[in-house]
Amino acid sequence: MQIFGVDIGGSGIKGAPVDLDKGDLAQERCKVLTPQPATPDAVADGVKEVVGHFGWTGPVGVTFPGVVTDGTTIRSAANVDKSWIGTDARVLLGDRLGGLPVTVVNDADAAGVAEMHFGAAKGRRGTVVLLTFGTGIGSAVFVDGVLVPNTELGHLELHGHEAEKRASSKAREDHDLTWEHWAHRVQKYLAHVEMLFSPELFVIGGGVSRKPEKFLHHIQGIKAEIVPAQLQNNAGIVGAAMRAATGI
């Protein structure tokens, strides 16, 4: 069974048909740059371009980098235009896609669902925290496999700063940090999250999951096991498709 997944990020919009039996992309993904400013209409045009690239005519799952309530209403927009707040994303995107059925989910929640079912956290019980490091820091928290939605732990305060402003991938690039220096910032962030949630497992997602050898060995003193996301930066696409297909 194939369902289309789209992952809206602060820097890129990417999508592809997903093979839900394998938990992997059925075709090579298409990616376009996130428009600046990332207004609802402009982002919807980007989503339409990605979906149209494949001539897709079925259900579409879409991730959003912020709080999504009831699978439709946007409640926060840290890394896209603030005009998203209050937008009915399901209606907006469905209309832009010519009436295709659309399901909307928080981006990190989607990635977490994919990793719990097909990836690094498959079969894991207890408390699992997935953290995606990209333009910001997304989070997905699971207790015995059940998602606690819209946690948004990237906005925790850490040493007087919003955590994602110090420890996201964008922060590493903007401040030209070495991988080791950046890993020490991530370590402090993980210690803070661990203090709050005491997870058995941290899954590190986002683009950095392709390069765990660059930074993971620099992270010390965390009691929880730390592993890179197996689906890497495709986890959000896979999770969005899963949500569209099953409502998981």
Side-chain angles (χ1 to χ4, degrees), residues 185-223:
R185 291 189 177 191
V186 173
Q187 176 181 303
K188 292 176 181 177
Y189 172 62
L190 293 181
H192 190 54
V193 175
E194 185 168 64
M195 180 270 293
L196 294 171
F197 291 92
S198 302
E200 284 77 24
L201 177 67
F202 280 116
V203 180
I204 305 300
V208 297
S209 60
R210 296 193 299 265
K211 306 173 183 178
E213 74 283 354
K214 298 278 191 181
F215 66 93
L216 272 188
H217 63 287
H218 292 302
I219 299 175
Q220 305 291 328
I222 304 299
K223 298 180 179 66

Side-chain angles (χ1 to χ4, degrees), residues 53-233:
H53 174 81
F54 296 89
W56 185 262
T57 58
V60 178
V62 181
T63 77
F64 183 82
V67 172
V68 183
T69 56
D70 299 322
T72 183
T73 304
I74 305 304
R75 296 297 187 202
S76 71
N79 296 303
V80 290
D81 195 81
K82 295 296 186 288
S83 58
W84 272 101
I85 296 173
T87 296
D88 188 323
R90 183 166 57 195
V91 169
L92 170 69
L93 295 172
D95 287 348
R96 196 60 52 90
L97 295 176
L100 297 184
V102 171
T103 303
V104 185
V105 60
N106 172 269
D107 56 350
D109 286 351
V113 165
E115 289 292 330
M116 288 296 297
H117 282 78
F118 294 110
K122 184 178 180 179
R124 295 295 293 257
R125 307 297 291 174
T127 302
V128 174
V129 177
L130 173 129
L131 298 166
T132 60
F133 292 83
T135 305
I137 299 175
S139 62
V141 177
F142 296 84
V143 180
D144 291 335
V146 178
L147 173 68
V148 181
N150 292 312
T151 48
E152 292 288 285
L153 300 181
H155 303 300
L156 288 171
E157 183 178 322
L158 184 64
H159 302 305
H161 299 275
E162 191 174 33
E164 68 177 24
K165 303 300 184 186
R166 298 272 298 166
S168 65
S169 289
K170 185 176 187 296
R172 182 183 68 81
E173 295 165 1
D174 287 350
H175 300 290
D176 197 24
L177 302 177
T178 65
W179 282 101
E180 182 176 6
H181 188 173
W182 179 72
H184 291 159
R185 291 189 177 191
V186 173
Q187 176 181 303
K188 292 176 181 177
Y189 172 62
L190 293 181
H192 190 54
V193 175
E194 185 168 64
M195 180 270 293
L196 294 171
F197 291 92
S198 302
E200 284 77 24
L201 177 67
F202 280 116
V203 180
I204 305 300
V208 297
S209 60
R210 296 193 299 265
K211 306 173 183 178
E213 74 283 354
K214 298 278 191 181
F215 66 93
L216 272 188
H217 63 287
H218 292 302
I219 299 175
Q220 305 291 328
I222 304 299
K223 298 180 179 66
E225 182 183 359
I226 308 171
V227 298
Q230 288 182 9
L231 301 180
Q232 299 182 351
N233 216 19

